[in-house]
Amino acid sequence: MATTDTKTQAAGRDNDLTGRVALVTGGTRGIGAAICHALAAEGAVVAAGYSSNQTRADELRQAVEAEGGTLSLHRGNIGDAEDCERVVKDVIEQHGRLDILVNNAGITVDKQISKMSASDWDKVLKVDLSGAFYMSKPAIAHMLARGSGRIINISSVAAEMGNVGQANYTASKAGLFGLTKTFAREAALMLRVAGKLEKGIGLTVNCVTPGLIETDMVVTIPPFMVADFVERIPAHRMGQPEEIARVVAFLAQDASGYITGQIWDVDGGLNM
């Protein structure tokens, strides 16, 4: 019985995030906010990154704390490499470590190619793709030194299917697939060289690909396009932010150490 109890306790530690520190970019609204709530509910200390709207950020912190969780706020510019490095450093200094990075921040500037300017292209790529690199580089250096960690990139089903008016967005989100797989390989290689690649937590890099999720971003899509999408989804509905957060929390767990370099579609079957 004692052995069984010990195994049960160990499994419980593997399946929650107590003692872990998680940084979520774009963490104060939509999918990002749901991820913050989910990780905090699993026991993680959460650091939410945001670029503006202090009121919304404060409301998120109050909501997480009301649920018994811990959340700090970190304002920065995801499109600026030095500012991203500062945010990662601030989180580590405030909480003593960084175990989980969720690259969720993203923007859209939707226009057909004939009307899309070079500035429209550069702006979205800078935030949605380069921002994930800017955040991951200092985070992964810290995780490699500690011998463990989790990086989870949030892409989009549009990256797999293409979408009219979103050449910049789909290109940046598709770029996260290659970034995820390359970082996953490099992280494993570097841990192996350092003699730290053993059974256990490991350092994994994965990507979650949401489908049509009911957030404020959907408001910017014409209703006829939303209706068309829903008709094409086998589950015949939009997803909820919490359904994305559930998968992120699973990938962040210690017990998920044998999953890396993978693309996880959460889209109601749209892309199958």
Side-chain angles (χ1 to χ4, degrees):
M1 179 62 73
T3 301
T4 301
D5 289 344
T6 301
K7 288 182 178 179
T8 301
Q9 291 169 2
R13 287 194 298 272
D14 284 347
N15 291 323
D16 71 28
L17 300 174
T18 301
R20 304 289 182 244
V21 175
L23 169 57
V24 182
T25 69
T28 59
R29 68 175 187 172
I31 291 173
I35 291 170
C36 287
H37 279 286
L39 297 181
E42 294 273 352
V45 172
V46 180
Y50 70 107
S51 61
S52 59
N53 201 329
Q54 185 66 48
T55 299
R56 183 170 60 202
D58 289 337
E59 288 174 350
L60 173 69
R61 178 167 55 188
Q62 292 166 9
V64 169
E65 290 176 349
E67 295 168 357
T70 302
L71 183 136
S72 61
L73 298 171
H74 303 267
R75 190 168 188 167
N77 178 5
I78 199 72
D80 182 275
E82 291 185 359
D83 212 32
C84 289
E85 187 172 357
R86 175 193 60 80
V87 168
V88 171
K89 182 179 179 181
D90 287 349
V91 171
I92 294 171
E93 287 182 349
Q94 181 171 344
H95 299 297
R97 57 193 291 167
L98 176 60
D99 302 280
I100 303 156
L101 170 64
V102 182
N103 287 310
N104 169 71
I107 61 170
T108 57
V109 181
D110 293 350
K111 296 177 184 178
Q112 291 186 21
I113 294 172
S114 61
K115 298 179 180 179
M116 185 176 293
S117 67
S119 177
D120 296 330
W121 174 271
D122 293 341
K123 183 178 181 180
V124 172
L125 268 289
K126 193 79 168 176
V127 172
D128 294 13
L129 179 56
S130 296
F133 170 76
Y134 297 155
M135 294 297 299
S136 296
K137 185 177 180 180
I140 207 168
H142 171 76
M143 293 173 182
L144 284 167
R146 298 187 64 252
S148 65
R150 299 282 183 266
I151 295 180
I152 302 163
N153 298 316
I154 307 299
S155 182
S156 168
V157 70
E160 299 172 308
M161 301 176 63
N163 199 24
V164 174
Q166 290 194 316
N168 47 9
Y169 181 76
T170 56
S172 64
K173 291 299 187 178
L176 289 176
F177 299 156
L179 189 70
T180 295
K181 291 178 179 292
T182 298
F183 271 13
R185 288 185 181 275
E186 290 191 5
L189 175 61
M190 287 184 278
L191 281 185
R192 182 178 179 183
V193 170
K196 299 178 181 179
L197 189 62
E198 301 173 353
K199 291 182 180 179
I201 299 172
L203 203 175
T204 68
V205 187
N206 288 288
C207 186
V208 176
T209 303
L212 185 65
I213 306 301
E214 194 170 1
T215 66
D216 55 3
M217 188 176 285
V218 173
V219 177
T220 66
I221 304 174
F224 77 91
M225 290 184 67
V226 174
D228 178 61
F229 264 117
V230 171
E231 283 299 318
R232 292 156 56 194
I233 298 170
H236 207 255
R237 66 174 176 85
M238 287 191 282
Q240 297 301 310
E242 293 75 18
E243 293 177 294
I244 306 303
R246 179 175 181 270
V247 178
V248 171
F250 165 72
L251 292 172
Q253 293 172 353
D254 290 1
S256 297
Y258 201 54
I259 303 168
T260 193
Q262 302 304 304
I263 312 299
W264 289 68
D265 284 21
V266 188
D267 60 11
L270 178 61
N271 183 47
M272 72 173 177

